[in-house]
């Protein structure tokens, strides 16, 4: 087999892709080979007497993939008389189908739901090549991290390694409070799979979480080759033992991972897009294991755990043995009207002034992106000497501003729910302005409150839900935080409630 064909197989193993993508990949590999060693490329051409083995002289996809266990799929499959299912993202909702001109000459249409990952038409052919189970060399893998696991963390870590050996359950839910140290608890199970020659995927719904996770994993597993795949990352796909990726990127994989860990499984967009769940299932080896990590599991996940459809582990305490910070509730009047006049609620103004005076940094959460210009003007008017910035999903410099906050170059950050999870700032407080807004669900409020008191050096702090009328979500969030503290105290995991 030629070097080019071997390179192609490396790129396709554990992947599902379109015929056009394969054709483009072949071209890229040819150009790379020519760039690296033009003479070798020429020799391959001259020595190839059999067109079936030549990538350059014969680009027919079926020829290129001959001899491999490739699954060939039509772009769409008919599942009912009038229903078609996209074989890339799994949707069969006709609202996502669109008709467009096509050279195939048939009554063709394409999928709009996964369009941004490549156009899949009715006439498209998809090729899926499963990865070989435990196909990397078996070797000792060293894990490096600061400190030691607490007894409760160690309990979860051991339970997860036992879960690997289970034959009955493929999925395990780890319900651990915010700041419990979930990442450290999965190191042992990752180590075991890697040492056996397996392939591990660490996925999260949001880019920020992936970019936060990647350096931590690299520090913990310095000898293991890894890539981070997001729409903003500089890494290109390589078949490596350890892949960090967004849940959207899982749609590109086919029976690739022996272990798949999905962090923040309840977060948008994974929580409300069935295609991402479809992609996650397809990315697993048939005998692979999946671990869900979250501090706020959905009702569906809780029900599945209660019915023993999936395994479950619960950790109601943080590793530093301090209780979760219970939010305070403060009425702040008609704050929207005040912002429209470039003014701040009196309580908020007083609270911010106190924090600036004592140099205690904080996060100020707001309900929507469109409010950012208004509140920035109000803050600048009230506190002209304050150093602050704002972040949202639409802000291109979000990562740089988050980094500046970590470096203590800002007094505070104004943020939408984009920073509700996946980020840690030591020694900060949190205030949620407009916590009555429907964007602030129980789960979101719990996650926001969980930004405070996360580190052993700063295990306490202040969380304030500032509102113009209390909501069911506010009451439920506070009730659940108190309940978790009570559970942790009764189990001896924290020193006091």
């Amino acid at each position: 087999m030629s070097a080019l064909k071997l390179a192609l197989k490396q790129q396709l193993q554990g992947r599902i892709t379109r015929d056009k993508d394969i054709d483009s990949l072949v071209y890229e590999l040819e150009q790379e080979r020519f760039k690296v060693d033009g003479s070798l490329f020429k020799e391959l051409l001259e020595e190839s007497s059999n067109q079936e083995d030549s990538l350059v002289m014969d680009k027919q996809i079926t020829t290129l993939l001959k001899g491999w266990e490739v699954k060939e799929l039509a772009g769409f499959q008919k599942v009912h008389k009038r229903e078609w299912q996209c074989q890339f993202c799994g949707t069969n909702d006709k609202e996502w189908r669109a008709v467009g001109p096509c050279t195939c000459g048939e009554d063709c249409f394409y999928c709009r739901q996964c369009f941004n990952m490549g156009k899949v038409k009715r006439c498209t052919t998809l090729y899926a090549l499963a990865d070989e189970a435990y196909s990397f060399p078996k070797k000792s893998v060293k894990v490096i991290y600061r400190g030691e696991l607490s007894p409760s963390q160690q309990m979860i870590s051991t339970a997860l390694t036992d879960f690997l050996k289970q034959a009955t359950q493929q999925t395990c839910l780890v319900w651990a409070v915010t700041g419990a140290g979930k990442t450290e608890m999965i190191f042992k199970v990752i180590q075991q799979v890697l040492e056996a020659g397996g392939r591990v995927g660490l996925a999260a719904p949001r880019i920020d979480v992936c970019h936060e996770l990647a350096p931590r994993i690299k520090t913990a597993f310095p000898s293991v080759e890894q890539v981070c795949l997001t729409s903003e990352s500089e890494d290109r796909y390589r078949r490596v033992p350890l892949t960090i990726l967004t849940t959207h990127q899982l749609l590109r994989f086919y029976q690739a991972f022996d272990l798949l860990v999905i962090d923040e499984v309840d977060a948008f967009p994974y929580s409300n897009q069935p295609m991402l769940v479809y992609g996650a299932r397809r990315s697993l080896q048939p005998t692979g294991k999946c671990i869900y990590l979250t501090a706020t599991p959905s009702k569906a996940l809780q029900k599945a755990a209660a019915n023993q459809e999936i395994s479950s582990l619960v950790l109601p305490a943080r590793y530093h043995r301090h209780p979760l910070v219970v939010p305070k509730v403060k009425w702040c009047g008609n704050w929207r009207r005040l912002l429209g006049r470039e003014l701040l609620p009196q309580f908020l103004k007083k609270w911010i002034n106190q924090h600036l005076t004592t140099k205690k940094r904080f996060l100020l959460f707001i309900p929507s992106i469109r409010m950012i210009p208004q509140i920035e003007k109000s803050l600048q008017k009230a506190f002209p000497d304050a150093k602050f910035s704002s972040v949202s999903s639409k802000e291109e410099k979000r990562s740089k501003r988050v980094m500046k906050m970590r470096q203590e170059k800002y007094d505070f950050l104004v943020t939408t729910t984009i920073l509700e999870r996946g980020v840690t700032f030591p020694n900060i407080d949190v205030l949620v302005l407009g916590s009555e807004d429907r964007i602030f669900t129980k789960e979101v409020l719990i996650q926001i409150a969980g930004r405070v008191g996360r580190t052993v050096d700063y295990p306490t702090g202040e969380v304030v839900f500032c509102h113009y009328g209390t909501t069911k979500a506010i009451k439920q969030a506070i009730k659940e935080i108190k309940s978790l503290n009570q559970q942790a105290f009764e189990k001896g995991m924290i020193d006091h409630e």
Side-chain angles (χ1 to χ4, degrees):
M1 188 182 294
S2 74
L4 289 176
K5 194 164 185 178
L6 281 171
L8 176 63
K9 187 174 183 179
Q10 272 286 329
Q11 288 288 319
L12 295 182
Q13 245 180 312
R15 305 277 273 172
I16 182 167
T17 190
R18 304 174 305 158
D19 43 13
K20 287 185 178 180
D21 292 328
I22 294 179
D23 200 54
S24 298
L25 179 57
V26 169
Y27 177 77
E28 288 177 18
L29 291 170
E30 290 170 358
Q31 298 305 307
E32 188 67 24
R33 172 62 66 188
F34 185 75
K35 184 169 65 178
V36 173
D37 192 339
S39 60
L40 178 58
F41 181 74
K42 186 177 180 181
E43 288 171 12
L44 284 170
L45 282 176
E46 292 173 350
E47 291 175 5
S48 182
S49 58
N50 185 347
Q51 281 195 351
E52 288 184 349
D53 293 332
S54 172
L55 291 173
V56 180
M57 298 173 70
D58 188 351
K59 288 189 178 181
Q60 292 181 14
I61 304 302
T62 52
T63 300
L64 294 177
L65 305 182
K66 188 174 181 180
W68 302 344
E69 294 181 7
V70 176
K71 190 170 184 179
E72 191 172 324
L73 303 167
F76 279 82
Q77 180 181 357
K78 208 165 192 179
V79 289
H80 293 293
K81 284 186 177 181
R82 296 184 179 180
E83 284 189 17
W84 292 84
Q85 182 184 49
C86 173
Q87 295 297 283
F88 187 78
C89 70
T91 183
N92 57 2
D93 188 343
K94 63 180 180 181
E95 296 296 323
W96 286 109
R97 293 202 302 269
V99 177
C102 185
T103 56
C104 70
E106 300 291 333
D107 181 18
C108 204
F109 46 82
Y110 64 93
C111 180
R112 292 190 299 111
Q113 181 160 255
C114 56
F115 180 76
N116 63 342
M117 303 189 78
K119 195 173 186 178
V120 177
K121 301 183 291 184
R122 180 184 170 185
C123 64
T124 298
T125 301
L126 297 173
Y127 293 90
L129 180 60
D131 208 344
E132 299 169 13
Y134 294 91
S135 57
F136 290 99
K138 294 182 179 181
K139 63 176 183 179
S140 176
V141 174
K142 189 175 182 180
V143 184
I144 301 173
Y145 58 94
R146 293 171 57 189
E148 296 181 359
L149 295 182
S150 68
S152 53
Q153 286 178 307
Q154 187 61 58
M155 177 187 68
I156 300 294
S157 176
T158 302
L160 287 176
T161 56
D162 292 340
F163 165 68
L164 277 185
K165 304 167 190 174
Q166 285 184 15
T168 54
Q169 299 283 8
Q170 188 179 32
T171 304
C172 181
L173 167 66
V174 178
W175 180 358
V177 297
T178 55
K182 293 188 290 292
T183 305
E184 288 74 17
M185 290 187 289
I186 62 172
F187 284 168
K188 188 65 178 179
V189 71
I190 291 173
Q191 181 188 29
Q192 284 200 357
V193 174
L194 292 174
E195 288 189 333
R199 192 174 181 186
V200 177
L202 299 179
R206 297 185 179 178
I207 293 172
D208 302 69
V209 177
C210 291
H211 290 172
E212 175 108 353
L213 190 59
R216 293 175 65 188
I217 296 299
K218 189 61 183 175
T219 300
F221 298 92
S223 64
V224 179
E225 193 176 5
Q226 71 174 62
V227 292
C228 180
L229 304 176
T230 74
S231 61
E232 296 178 4
S233 63
E234 296 180 359
D235 283 353
R236 293 184 62 186
Y237 172 76
R238 287 176 288 124
R239 183 174 168 272
V240 294
L242 191 49
T243 304
I244 298 162
L245 68 171
T246 57
T247 48
H248 270 86
Q249 294 294 327
L250 287 172
L251 285 166
R252 302 186 188 278
F253 288 82
Y254 177 79
Q255 295 183 11
F257 301 115
D258 301 287
L259 173 65
L260 176 63
V261 180
I262 303 181
D263 196 10
E264 309 292 359
V265 71
D266 64 300
F268 175 87
Y270 186 86
S271 59
N272 68 340
Q273 290 197 24
M275 76 166 182
L276 299 181
V277 178
Y278 175 87
R281 288 173 182 164
R282 189 178 59 200
S283 72
L284 261 183
Q285 286 273 359
T287 57
K289 296 286 188 174
C290 183
I291 297 172
Y292 292 150
L293 303 177
T294 181
T296 48
S298 64
K299 289 182 179 179
L301 276 178
Q302 291 184 49
K303 184 178 179 181
N307 294 338
Q308 297 185 341
E309 296 168 13
I310 60 175
S311 298
S312 65
L313 301 167
V314 180
L315 180 57
R318 287 173 166 170
Y319 64 94
H320 52 50
R321 298 189 61 81
H322 285 260
L324 298 169
V325 177
V326 179
K328 300 173 184 177
V329 180
K330 295 290 183 179
W331 184 82
C332 60
N334 193 340
W335 56 273
R336 292 180 189 270
R337 182 182 296 175
L338 288 171
L339 286 184
R341 294 159 50 195
E342 296 185 10
L343 298 173
L344 296 173
Q346 193 61 36
F347 171 78
L348 176 60
K349 192 173 180 179
K350 183 179 178 181
W351 191 87
I352 292 176
N353 185 61
Q354 182 182 8
H355 278 71
L356 293 175
T357 302
T358 58
K359 299 187 184 302
K360 181 67 180 290
R361 298 182 311 132
F362 61 92
L363 297 177
L364 175 57
F365 283 85
I366 58 174
S368 66
I369 295 173
R370 68 175 182 273
M371 283 178 52
I372 290 177
Q374 278 185 325
I375 197 163
E376 283 183 335
K377 287 180 181 179
S378 302
L379 289 166
Q380 286 164 356
K381 186 176 178 180
F383 306 103
D385 297 327
K387 294 175 289 183
F388 72 93
S389 189
S390 57
V391 292
S392 72
S393 59
K394 299 289 179 67
E395 177 52 60
E396 294 180 359
K397 297 180 181 179
R398 181 171 72 246
S399 298
K400 291 182 180 179
R401 291 178 182 179
V402 168
M403 182 57 68
K404 284 186 177 181
M405 183 67 177
R406 284 205 180 91
Q407 295 168 347
E408 300 187 11
K409 294 181 180 180
Y410 293 137
D411 297 317
F412 62 93
L413 273 181
V414 177
T415 177
T416 59
T417 55
I418 192 69
L419 294 187
E420 77 182 56
R421 62 182 80 215
V423 292
T424 297
F425 302 101
N427 196 24
I428 63 159
D429 289 339
V430 160
L431 186 142
V432 182
L433 179 61
S435 56
E436 77 280 1
D437 193 279
R438 63 182 181 181
I439 193 71
F440 294 119
T441 63
K442 178 196 76 171
E443 291 77 15
V444 170
L445 290 172
I446 290 173
Q447 290 285 355
I448 288 174
R451 299 310 97 202
V452 177
R454 296 174 67 85
T455 64
V456 67
D457 294 327
Y458 304 101
T460 61
E462 185 179 22
V463 179
V464 181
F465 293 163
C466 216
H467 66 89
Y468 187 39
T470 56
T471 63
K472 185 178 179 181
I474 292 173
K475 294 174 183 177
Q476 286 179 332
I478 294 173
K479 182 179 179 181
E480 185 163 313
I481 289 170
K482 288 180 176 179
S483 174
L484 288 165
N485 282 340
Q486 177 67 24
Q487 290 178 49
F489 179 71
E490 291 174 355
K491 293 180 178 180
M493 293 180 175
I494 60 175
D495 299 320
H496 58 87
E497 292 182 63

